[in-house]
Amino acid sequence: MKSHKLMCLALALGLSACAYKAEPVSSPAYNVPLSYSSKISGKWLLAIEADRFATTVRPSGYGCAAHKYPLDLQGSFESSVRQTLENVFAQLEVVDKPVPADQLAARGAKGMILVRADNIRGRLDVLPGVFSSTMRTRVELVTALTVDGRRGRLLGKTVEGDAEAESEAGFACEGGSKSLADAAGEAMRDNVRALAEALGNAPKLR
């Protein structure tokens, strides 16, 4: 880590860019407000398409402008969705791709849940201070949620999640990765909580 910082300092002095990868951890939501006391009965299939939840965030303005911050939420988002929805459905089976409605009965499933990443937006601002700078980040996530039963569409909804975080800029602006990871983690939790709330409160799934 120390050698990476020294390398980035040398590159920054040479007006070259350094990439600090933000790595948010899985952020499931367990405090989901539901109108029902029991889980949704039966077996449900779940497919998650999270490939669009990867981007690179660059600082606005001139502060730390030589740096960039790759942000990849695919793995952590998939884990967050699965862990959250396991508390909403009695039986959940994760599948690699959506299963057609005419094949649900053969698999003993009541429906097919598809959570698809639609858009990710990240913003990073550098706030100068007297002795040090602060990195302020905001992450916004948009997902598309659909549920198909054996006889047709049961639910369709667009779900959003957003959050902000701050961290000291630190040595050679590496603090931006922590701030971005924190904001992304909270945005994921906000998003999956809304997903669980939409599913858990849907009368057609009961």
Side-chain angles (χ1 to χ4, degrees), residues 109-189:
K110 294 178 67 175
M112 177 72 238
I113 306 165
L114 174 60
V115 178
R116 188 183 73 249
D118 186 47
N119 192 26
I120 179 173
R121 294 184 292 272
R123 180 179 176 86
L124 194 158
D125 298 316
V126 181
L127 310 178
V130 178
F131 299 106
S132 63
S133 297
T134 298
M135 312 286 273
R136 175 183 294 168
T137 57
R138 181 178 181 85
V139 175
E140 300 175 11
L141 305 176
V142 181
T143 55
L145 168 66
T146 57
V147 182
D148 291 317
R150 297 178 182 180
R151 297 182 179 180
R153 181 61 48 91
L154 300 176
L155 179 66
K157 188 177 180 64
T158 297
V159 178
E160 299 181 356
D162 63 86
E164 292 185 350
E166 291 186 1
S167 178
E168 290 188 2
F171 184 88
C173 299
E174 86 275 9
S177 61
K178 180 183 184 305
S179 178
L180 192 59
D182 289 346
E186 286 303 315
M188 276 195 294
R189 184 175 288 109

Side-chain angles (χ1 to χ4, degrees), residues 36-202:
Y36 303 87
S37 58
S38 61
K39 293 183 178 181
I40 297 175
S41 62
K43 177 181 177 180
W44 297 79
L45 305 182
L46 170 66
I48 307 169
E49 299 177 356
D51 53 295
R52 289 191 178 184
F53 277 175
T55 188
T56 297
V57 180
R58 295 181 180 274
S60 61
Y62 296 103
C64 299
H67 306 280
K68 58 184 180 181
Y69 301 84
L71 177 63
D72 189 344
L73 307 184
Q74 296 180 72
S76 54
F77 180 74
E78 291 173 2
S79 177
S80 298
V81 172
R82 178 181 53 78
Q83 292 181 63
T84 299
L85 297 189
E86 284 176 348
N87 291 308
V88 177
F89 292 87
Q91 187 178 358
L92 200 64
E93 179 184 336
V94 179
V95 294
D96 293 332
K97 58 182 179 180
V99 174
D102 60 3
Q103 297 179 21
L104 292 175
R107 301 189 61 150
K110 294 178 67 175
M112 177 72 238
I113 306 165
L114 174 60
V115 178
R116 188 183 73 249
D118 186 47
N119 192 26
I120 179 173
R121 294 184 292 272
R123 180 179 176 86
L124 194 158
D125 298 316
V126 181
L127 310 178
V130 178
F131 299 106
S132 63
S133 297
T134 298
M135 312 286 273
R136 175 183 294 168
T137 57
R138 181 178 181 85
V139 175
E140 300 175 11
L141 305 176
V142 181
T143 55
L145 168 66
T146 57
V147 182
D148 291 317
R150 297 178 182 180
R151 297 182 179 180
R153 181 61 48 91
L154 300 176
L155 179 66
K157 188 177 180 64
T158 297
V159 178
E160 299 181 356
D162 63 86
E164 292 185 350
E166 291 186 1
S167 178
E168 290 188 2
F171 184 88
C173 299
E174 86 275 9
S177 61
K178 180 183 184 305
S179 178
L180 192 59
D182 289 346
E186 286 303 315
M188 276 195 294
R189 184 175 288 109
D190 190 37
N191 189 277
V192 298
R193 181 185 295 111
L195 285 170
E197 186 175 355
L199 290 164
N201 290 328

